[in-house]
Amino acid sequence: MKIKSLDIIEFGGLKDLSLDFSEGLNIIFGKNESGKSTVLLFILYMLYGLPKSSKRSGASAYDKERSLSWDNRRAEGKMEISCDGRDMVIYRLNAPRVSKTEIYDKQSGKPINFSREIGEELLGLSRESFESCCWCGQLRTGSISGEHISKTLSNLTVSGDESIDAQKALSLLRAARREYKHERGSGGLIPQLEREIAEERAEFTRLGFDLDSANHERAQTAAWEAQLASAEDALTKASLARDMAGTLKILSEFDELDDLVARELSLAQELQMLDATTADYKTTPTEQDIESLRFLKKTHAQRKDDLDAIVNAEKYSARLDENAISLAKKIDERGGREEFISRLETMKNKMSQTKLFGIALSCAGALLAVTAAVFFGTLAIFVSLICACLGALAASAACFISSGKAKKAFDEYLSSLGLAETGYLSQIERAIAQYDIYLAERQRLTDLEAKKKLAQDALDFALGEIEQKLFSFSADKKEAPLEALDGLILELSEYFSKRKKLCGELSLANVFATRKREELATYDRGALQKSLPNEISRENIDVSRLDEDYKRCLAQRDNIKNQLYELSLSIERIKPKIERRRELDIDVDEKELLLEKYKREHAVLDLAYSALEEANSRQKSNFAPKIRARAGEILSSLSKGRYSGVILDDEFEVSVEQHGASRAAGALSAGTADAVYLSLRLALIDSIFASDAPLFLDESLSQLDSERASDAISLLSDFVSNGNQCLLFTCHHREASICTQQAIECNYVKLDS
Amino acid sequence: MIKLFHTGDIHLDSAYSRLSPAEKARAREHERKIFTKMIDHVRREKYALLLISGDLFDSGSISPETERCVLDAFASLECPVVISPGNHDSFLSVPFYSSKALPENVYIFNSPEIQCFEFTELSLRVCGYAFMNNSYRENPLDSFSLPAFSGITVLCAHGELGVPLSTYAPLRESDIEKCNITYAALGHIHKTQEPIRRGGTLIAYSSFLEGRAYDEDGEGGALEVTIDERGAHTRRVCFSEKFYRTETLDVDGVQSSDESLARIKERVEASGYGRETALRLILRGAVPAELVLDTKTPELLFGERLLAFEVLDQTTPLFCTDSLENDYTLRGEVYRTLKPHLSSEDEYERRLAADALRYALLAIDGESIGGKI
């Protein structure tokens, strides 16, 4: 491709500037700030448009700023080129809200359609490649460090672009990769995040036990709450029951009244049934009837007893001693009882008088003895005693004889009575007693006989009365009147007992019912009933029991509440842990997403790094040797053999070969470095382009001495002689002079400042 | 004909772990507002039954405000409310479910085994089960047959359909069908999807009530279920006041961030979205390899007019790769090295290689790598 002319309408600081170029060497002269670099930028604009803001942001922004006109921010111009024998015109316009690019055939005026940027289409190079290859700008080797020079040359040699530092790029990727994960050790975001996730997972698992515990306690809570519900229910009922006790009490009294009325009715029916049992009586029985019957029974029994006593008394009399009766009869025959007593008394008196006379004689003898003793002494005592004894003895004998006679007479009398051979006084006493008994018995029997009759009459009368009474109740009770009487008495007793009881109960029921009615007269039972809640049990009307129930329910409820409170405290204690677990869960999820992102980033960086490393390695092995060889040739020519080659060592440091030795590029003079740089640039164009790519030099020879500048011009002359176009921008006249001196054909273009 | 209302996955008192306490409180209050709005609708429309197919709460930790709100809401309904506790609000983890303060019209399954609540006045029974903790590995309907019932049988359950190894009650469509269930009200899957008809059974997920993040895309809502002699039919009712939407924007061929910004602006303005919408815009397509799209500027520019705005760059650096292909420098060599990966059949590998190319080119340009992709 050859640039034939430029028509700058408006671009940067330039306006309405037209420049024509030859197809060979063009030297564009201009003083500082005359617009040389702007012209170069215009050519770039024509081929590639305005720089994209994304690319090398700083430089591109700067270039873009330089491209737009200062007053109205426009860029507009034309460039005529020749490519493969075809002349074409490129037109571009960039203004606010306007962007226009045209390329057309100069001869036909027909537009030419390119799918890519014009530069890419024509040169097969991207803007960057074009710049790095064909562009040799200002200040490449000016006042910059040797290290930078070395690096620039190294970049140019290895990557083909002086701005591309492969080592730096690899280092950047390594650093970025290390941010995520260090090659060695456990540093980096990924291991850190993995550690955090592992720790949080462990904590999450640990807290799982607390969750289980909380779940268990919640289950317990649920169970207790179910119990609480029924306890509350019971408490409500108990409370209501207690509160409604008054109503319940009244209602229960109504119930009691019902019971009493029912009782009254029942008792009345019972009484009626009882009275029905006496229906077959001929007379209506009264309680006096029972007394009367009992009296009759008693009277009859007494009469019977009386009669029996009389009969028994008669029986007793029959057992009297026959001897006594015989004796009694004999006593009666011999003067009777008075005579017998008289005789007995007489006999007793006589016997008593005899005894008394004997005693008197004894006492007289004793008195005589004592008197004699007093008057006559001991002998006298003796004599007296004998006299006394004798006197007593005489007296006794006299008495015995006297009493014996009386006794004999009485014994004879007794004998006549038949009592002689049986004892003495006892016999007499017994006989007298027997006789008295006999007399009494005889009189008693006589009385008994009379009484027996009377008793029998009375008994018969009593029985008659009984029969009459029985008849008055029932005619069928004559066979065994006494049994019937007993039966009737029992029957009537039971009847009246039951009746009395029933009547008493009925009366009581009636009294209670009446009283209850009076008490409840002011209440409306129905209204009270309606006022009660349905759930109130009418059974619980015992206020004290209701109160106890209420207290029991309250205690039960409070106990459950306490349990629930304890559980709630426990759950509350666990709550922060559960909350923490939930946060951990979310956090782990988020971190896992982040980890996934980091891992992907790391994988991307890994791939980028390995691709760059591989590409770099390939560049070094394929591209660098070719550039280095060709550059060596050019440099040798340029330096007239002083430097025989360009060397790239293992560290990618560029050095030059001089007499078999190497000199590091960084240690070269500025001029030599520029020569090396120019060599590499030309080598690059040689190696890359089969076609005729133009070369742009912006003050590239200014650092060279005259001799080397002359050699460089010769080299450029050779370069254009191969069909390439070269545009050399300079602020010196030296390059033009060298061309004139060496008769090198060149197109000299002067830019006015 | 009977009309039921099916909701679920409401997640009241969500964690919102990335929000500040004040923002969290506001977000939870908003959740309660939407829930109450839904309850008002149920009351107004006089549905015969409200079915909540799990995850009513996000966890067992329920704030007193939420508890009060839910209790009042249920108490305000005349119809029965049937709740099937899910993996987020399992029966044992939520004391609220055992509370005696619950109104009488609330029926909660409390066993992992199938239970049924019969509503004779509706000639309908609702069968279901409860998650007792945060997972349920068995299929509750496996080898299970419901006892005979003359009325309509509805299943209200939380579970995952057609994922045999799921730890969230793996259910099978065939099991539901064989139980002669007229309508299966399911919960767990948040993504809004069409009901599945299987024989005489209609199986439907209620979806989320209102989106809380970009994974709950769209309007969400709940289902009005009409059961008549023809079977069950659903109609989606939306209560959302804010919407999370994820959309893709083709920026294929853009040459600069300015161009992509212009396209983003065009999309946002054309969408008509306002402060009710949180938009996640995924940029797709091929862009030049050297172009790293600026996603922060559009977020700042349009974030104000939306509830939230997020731009994700998922472009590939493969637009007009001819220049790279022909690039003799290290840049071209890297591209050529990655080319086999870039043209891999594996999508993941392709994306990985595309990002690797971007990184490598950034590194070659001497730019720092961190946070560029």
Side-chain angles (χ1 to χ4, degrees):
Chain A
M1 185 195 83
K2 306 282 187 309
I3 299 170
K4 297 184 81 173
S5 67
L6 301 177
D7 188 3
I8 301 173
I9 301 167
E10 201 168 358
F11 191 81
L14 302 177
K15 213 168 189 178
D16 301 325
L17 174 66
S18 296
L19 300 172
D20 292 321
F21 301 116
S22 69
E23 292 191 354
L25 178 63
N26 294 275
I27 295 173
I28 300 104
F29 170 78
K31 292 178 183 172
N32 285 337
E33 296 190 6
S34 59
K36 297 189 292 295
S37 299
T38 308
V39 172
L40 278 168
L41 201 58
F42 179 78
I43 295 167
L44 204 57
Y45 168 61
M46 285 291 114
L47 291 171
Y48 292 98
L50 288 174
K52 304 287 186 301
S53 57
S54 59
K55 170 68 176 69
R56 299 178 196 178
S57 52
S60 60
Y62 173 67
D63 287 349
K64 188 174 180 181
E65 198 57 33
R66 284 205 303 158
S67 303
L68 299 172
S69 63
W70 300 345
D71 47 1
N72 54 7
R73 303 188 65 73
R74 282 168 67 94
E76 188 179 7
K78 285 182 190 171
M79 182 167 83
E80 188 184 338
I81 58 169
S82 161
C83 189
D84 298 332
R86 189 178 182 193
D87 290 339
M88 290 175 265
V89 177
I90 301 168
Y91 169 78
R92 280 189 193 269
L93 166 65
N94 282 88
R97 292 185 292 280
V98 182
S99 177
K100 197 171 178 182
T101 301
E102 288 173 359
I103 179 163
Y104 53 90
D105 191 287
K106 191 185 174 187
Q107 284 181 327
S108 65
K110 287 182 180 173
I112 302 165
N113 291 324
F114 287 155
S115 60
R116 296 183 287 166
E117 268 300 346
I118 296 164
E120 286 176 10
E121 196 73 42
L122 296 173
L123 299 167
L125 284 179
S126 66
R127 182 190 182 107
E128 290 76 21
S129 298
F130 177 72
E131 279 187 80
S132 66
C133 174
C134 308
W135 205 266
C136 190
Q138 262 183 322
L139 297 175
R140 298 291 185 193
T141 57
S143 54
I144 51 174
S145 68
E147 189 187 350
H148 187 84
I149 291 165
S150 177
K151 180 53 79 182
T152 304
L153 296 176
S154 168
N155 290 348
L156 204 53
T157 313
V158 177
S159 62
D161 187 332
E162 63 185 68
S163 66
I164 295 177
D165 183 346
Q167 295 309 311
K168 188 183 171 192
L170 284 167
S171 162
L172 280 169
L173 284 173
R174 255 199 314 271
R177 206 170 51 161
R178 267 202 304 275
E179 260 184 59
Y180 292 102
K181 194 174 183 180
H182 294 177
E183 285 91 354
R184 296 184 188 84
S186 55
L189 290 170
I190 291 173
Q192 188 188 331
L193 207 53
E194 282 173 338
R195 262 197 312 279
E196 283 175 19
I197 289 170
E199 283 166 10
E200 288 185 0
R201 273 199 181 134
E203 192 183 349
F204 181 81
T205 309
R206 276 200 307 280
L207 291 171
F209 296 114
D210 289 299
L211 181 67
D212 291 345
S213 165
N215 282 345
H216 174 69
E217 281 171 2
R218 278 175 181 150
Q220 276 189 322
T221 302
W224 278 113
E225 275 178 348
Q227 289 189 34
L228 180 64
S230 57
E232 292 275 18
D233 195 37
L235 182 64
T236 308
K237 282 182 181 172
S239 174
L240 273 171
R242 194 179 65 157
D243 294 345
M244 301 301 289
T247 308
L248 287 169
K249 183 83 182 159
I250 294 164
L251 284 170
S252 75
E253 285 184 5
F254 271 110
D255 290 346
E256 276 179 20
L257 179 59
D258 288 347
D259 290 345
L260 284 171
V261 171
R263 176 92 179 130
E264 268 185 309
L265 191 65
S266 162
L267 286 169
Q269 282 176 349
E270 219 174 315
L271 192 60
Q272 206 174 351
M273 282 168 71
L274 186 65
D275 285 343
T277 59
T278 63
D280 54 344
Y281 290 161
K282 290 178 177 167
T283 180
T284 306
T286 63
E287 285 192 71
Q288 284 76 21
D289 288 337
I290 299 172
E291 290 308 313
S292 168
L293 289 169
R294 279 187 183 139
F295 181 73
L296 284 175
K297 186 185 174 186
K298 192 178 171 185
T299 307
H300 178 269
Q302 278 176 352
R303 300 286 181 272
K304 183 81 169 56
D305 286 348
D306 289 348
L307 187 60
D308 287 348
I310 291 164
V311 173
N312 284 337
E314 280 181 327
K315 283 177 186 171
Y316 174 72
S317 174
R319 286 197 302 271
L320 277 174
D321 190 356
E322 289 296 329
N323 292 334
I325 295 167
S326 161
L327 180 62
K329 282 177 180 173
K330 282 176 183 175
I331 289 169
D332 278 343
E333 285 169 3
R334 283 163 183 83
R337 186 179 181 274
E338 297 306 319
E339 178 61 30
F340 182 76
I341 298 295
S342 167
R343 283 178 182 254
L344 183 59
E345 287 299 319
T346 305
M347 188 275 290
K348 279 182 180 177
N349 287 342
K350 277 183 181 175
M351 283 180 75
S352 171
Q353 282 167 0
T354 305
K355 280 177 187 173
L356 285 171
F357 185 70
I359 291 163
L361 282 176
S362 297
C363 291
L367 189 59
L368 187 62
V370 170
T371 308
V374 171
F375 289 107
F376 301 108
T378 310
L379 186 57
I381 296 169
F382 182 72
V383 173
S384 302
L385 280 173
I386 291 172
C387 290
C389 287
L390 288 173
L393 192 61
S396 298
C399 289
F400 180 74
I401 292 163
S402 173
S403 67
K405 280 181 181 175
K407 190 176 178 298
K408 193 177 174 183
F410 192 68
D411 282 343
E412 284 172 357
Y413 174 67
L414 288 177
S415 175
S416 67
L417 291 173
L419 297 171
E421 68 272 4
T422 55
Y424 186 56
L425 281 171
S426 63
Q427 291 273 348
I428 294 163
E429 294 287 338
R430 186 170 168 268
I432 291 167
Q434 285 285 340
Y435 182 70
D436 287 345
I437 290 166
Y438 168 72
L439 288 179
E441 184 65 17
R442 197 170 59 186
Q443 183 59 43
R444 189 180 64 85
L445 283 173
T446 307
D447 293 346
L448 281 174
E449 192 59 35
K451 283 180 184 175
K452 189 177 174 182
K453 190 169 182 324
L454 284 170
Q456 188 61 53
D457 290 345
L459 184 63
D460 290 344
F461 180 77
L463 196 60
E465 280 195 329
I466 288 168
E467 283 176 350
Q468 192 180 352
K469 200 74 178 175
L470 284 172
F471 182 74
S472 71
F473 283 98
S474 170
D476 305 329
K477 293 176 180 172
K478 281 186 176 176
E479 297 298 326
L482 287 174
E483 286 80 359
L485 180 66
D486 283 343
L488 185 62
I489 290 169
L490 187 65
E491 201 173 285
L492 286 177
S493 297
E494 281 179 2
Y495 166 70
F496 280 109
S497 165
K498 279 184 184 173
R499 197 167 198 287
K500 193 175 177 184
K501 193 179 165 204
L502 282 173
C503 286
E505 285 177 3
L506 185 59
S507 169
L508 268 176
N510 189 258
V511 168
F512 287 147
T514 307
R515 196 183 299 161
K516 202 67 87 181
R517 263 189 214 100
E518 285 167 3
E519 283 172 4
L520 299 173
T522 54
Y523 297 107
D524 180 345
R525 190 180 190 179
L528 287 173
Q529 187 69 52
K530 278 181 188 169
S531 73
L532 280 179
N534 291 335
E535 65 269 20
I536 292 296
S537 168
R538 293 283 306 280
E539 292 167 7
N540 301 332
I541 51 167
D542 183 343
V543 178
S544 63
R545 193 161 68 78
L546 289 177
D547 203 41
E548 278 172 22
D549 279 353
Y550 174 76
K551 284 175 183 167
R552 184 174 50 75
C553 291
L554 190 66
Q556 207 167 351
R557 197 272 313 262
D558 288 348
N559 177 42
I560 293 170
K561 274 195 164 178
N562 283 339
Q563 296 282 356
L564 282 168
Y565 178 67
E566 291 293 327
L567 282 168
S568 72
L569 283 182
S570 176
I571 290 169
E572 277 303 314
R573 278 194 294 275
I574 299 172
K575 229 175 187 175
K577 292 182 179 177
I578 294 170
E579 194 59 33
R580 167 76 182 144
R581 190 174 184 272
R582 185 186 175 204
E583 283 169 5
L584 281 173
D585 196 16
I586 294 163
D587 203 39
V588 166
D589 282 352
E590 285 177 356
K591 281 186 173 164
E592 277 178 341
L593 283 174
L594 196 61
L595 180 65
E596 201 179 315
K597 188 183 166 198
Y598 284 175
K599 282 184 172 173
R600 186 185 180 279
E601 289 272 283
H602 189 252
V604 168
L605 287 165
D606 253 357
L607 184 59
Y609 183 81
S610 60
L612 184 60
E613 203 174 33
E614 191 183 330
N616 188 39
S617 164
R618 209 175 292 138
Q619 284 284 91
K620 276 189 288 183
S621 57
N622 299 337
F623 178 76
K626 278 197 290 183
I627 297 295
R628 189 172 51 79
R630 179 68 186 129
E633 289 170 17
I634 295 168
L635 182 63
S636 175
S637 168
L638 199 61
S639 62
K640 293 195 183 322
R642 187 177 175 188
Y643 300 108
S644 53
V646 176
I647 301 165
L648 185 69
D649 65 14
D650 293 340
E651 299 298 318
F652 311 114
E653 291 293 332
V654 173
S655 55
V656 291
E657 195 176 351
Q658 185 181 28
H659 308 307
S662 66
R663 286 185 66 186
L668 298 173
S669 66
T672 308
D674 261 5
V676 174
Y677 177 66
L678 185 62
S679 306
L680 284 168
R681 280 286 183 180
L682 294 173
L684 204 58
I685 292 174
D686 260 7
S687 305
I688 302 302
F689 295 104
S691 63
D692 48 353
L695 174 65
F696 301 88
L697 300 172
D698 187 8
E699 302 286 6
S700 300
L701 310 183
S702 53
Q703 295 291 333
L704 305 182
D705 60 23
S706 298
E707 190 181 348
R708 194 163 289 168
S710 175
D711 291 341
I713 296 288
S714 297
L715 198 66
L716 290 175
S717 173
D718 291 344
F719 178 72
V720 297
S721 66
N722 292 331
N724 293 92
Q725 186 184 31
C726 178
L727 276 70
L728 171 62
F729 291 78
T730 178
C731 60
H732 301 288
H733 293 291
R734 189 177 64 169
E735 287 82 355
S737 302
I738 292 169
C739 285
T740 308
Q741 284 166 14
Q742 294 188 13
I744 294 171
E745 189 183 342
C746 77
N747 174 38
Y748 183 76
V749 180
K750 187 179 178 187
L751 292 175
D752 295 326
S753 57
Chain B
M1 187 187 78
I2 189 166
K3 275 170 84 179
L4 319 176
F5 202 71
H6 168 204
T7 184
D9 294 304
I10 299 167
H11 290 269
L12 291 170
D13 280 356
S14 289
Y16 296 115
S17 56
R18 287 182 182 171
L19 299 186
S20 69
E23 288 170 331
K24 199 180 285 189
R26 273 199 298 278
R28 288 178 174 177
E29 194 181 334
H30 182 74
E31 284 176 349
R32 290 194 289 274
K33 182 185 164 192
I34 298 301
F35 173 74
T36 310
K37 196 173 163 187
M38 184 268 290
I39 291 289
D40 289 345
H41 172 79
V42 173
R43 189 172 50 249
R44 201 168 46 248
E45 296 297 319
K46 298 189 188 308
Y47 291 103
L49 200 65
L50 171 61
L51 302 167
I52 300 179
S53 54
D55 289 356
L56 168 62
F57 303 106
D58 193 60
S59 76
S61 306
I62 306 167
S63 65
E65 294 85 0
T66 300
E67 187 167 334
R68 187 73 263 152
C69 167
V70 175
L71 281 175
D72 289 349
F74 288 162
S76 73
L77 292 176
E78 287 177 11
C79 67
V81 180
V82 180
I83 302 172
S84 166
N87 58 309
H88 274 267
D89 58 349
S90 61
F91 185 77
L92 286 179
S93 70
V94 179
F96 176 81
Y97 287 152
S98 317
S99 169
K100 61 181 170 28
L102 282 170
E104 284 180 356
N105 61 330
V106 178
Y107 299 80
I108 301 172
F109 296 116
N110 59 5
S111 161
E113 309 295 329
I114 296 284
Q115 296 172 292
C116 291
F117 297 120
E118 285 189 16
F119 302 97
T120 45
E121 68 280 11
L122 302 173
S123 294
L124 180 145
R125 69 174 169 183
V126 182
C127 301
Y129 52 86
F131 270 65
M132 300 308 280
N133 46 50
N134 59 2
S135 66
Y136 191 169
R137 292 173 189 280
E138 281 93 41
N139 173 2
L141 291 173
D142 193 21
S143 311
F144 183 84
S145 59
L146 287 169
F149 183 66
S150 57
I152 299 162
T153 299
V154 169
L155 176 73
C156 178
H158 198 77
E160 204 164 6
L161 204 60
V163 185
L165 295 177
S166 169
T167 55
Y168 303 109
L171 299 170
R172 281 194 300 259
E173 290 175 21
S174 56
D175 290 332
I176 296 173
E177 186 190 4
K178 84 173 179 226
C179 286
N180 289 324
I181 289 164
T182 308
Y183 180 69
L186 300 184
H188 187 65
I189 303 299
H190 292 203
K191 191 180 174 197
T192 307
Q193 51 188 268
E194 285 299 308
I196 302 160
R197 191 169 293 283
R198 179 132 184 169
T201 304
L202 189 70
I203 305 168
Y205 278 100
S206 64
S207 167
F208 54 90
L209 195 58
E210 184 185 65
R212 294 166 298 150
Y214 288 111
D215 58 349
E216 292 180 336
D217 185 76
E219 297 187 339
L223 296 172
E224 177 187 282
V225 186
T226 308
I227 300 175
D228 54 24
E229 63 281 356
R230 290 177 297 129
H233 307 275
T234 60
R235 179 178 75 88
R236 186 159 288 281
V237 184
C238 177
F239 302 97
S240 295
E241 291 182 1
K242 59 179 185 182
F243 307 91
Y244 284 84
R245 296 186 192 278
T246 302
E247 295 179 359
T248 57
L249 175 64
D250 189 357
V251 291
D252 196 60
V254 297
Q255 296 296 310
S256 67
S257 286
D258 290 345
E259 274 184 58
S260 86
L261 181 65
R263 290 202 196 179
I264 290 167
K265 186 182 175 193
E266 190 184 347
R267 167 60 73 86
V268 171
E269 283 174 352
S271 70
Y273 296 148
R275 294 285 302 160
E276 78 293 337
T277 304
L279 179 63
R280 173 184 274 173
L281 205 54
I282 299 173
L283 305 181
R284 294 262 167 83
V287 298
E290 67 277 10
L291 178 61
V292 177
L293 291 172
D294 175 10
T295 56
K296 298 297 165 201
T297 306
E299 285 177 1
L300 288 171
L301 280 176
F302 309 117
E304 280 299 306
R305 70 172 71 170
L306 299 167
L307 178 65
F309 187 47
E310 191 175 295
V311 180
L312 297 183
D313 179 9
Q314 287 187 7
T315 55
T316 53
L318 302 173
F319 183 74
C320 286
T321 50
D322 287 358
S323 59
L324 276 174
E325 183 73 59
N326 299 320
D327 196 330
Y328 65 92
T329 65
L330 188 61
R331 184 184 297 275
E333 196 58 45
V334 166
Y335 169 75
R336 287 186 288 277
T337 308
L338 284 170
K339 202 176 170 187
H341 300 285
L342 290 166
S343 53
S344 164
E345 287 185 0
D346 180 9
E347 163 77 17
Y348 178 78
E349 190 182 345
R350 273 205 311 276
R351 293 209 60 80
L352 207 68
D355 288 341
L357 177 61
R358 264 195 181 129
Y359 273 154
L361 295 179
L362 282 169
I364 287 169
D365 288 344
E367 291 192 29
S368 64
I369 311 297
K372 289 284 179 188
I373 293 176

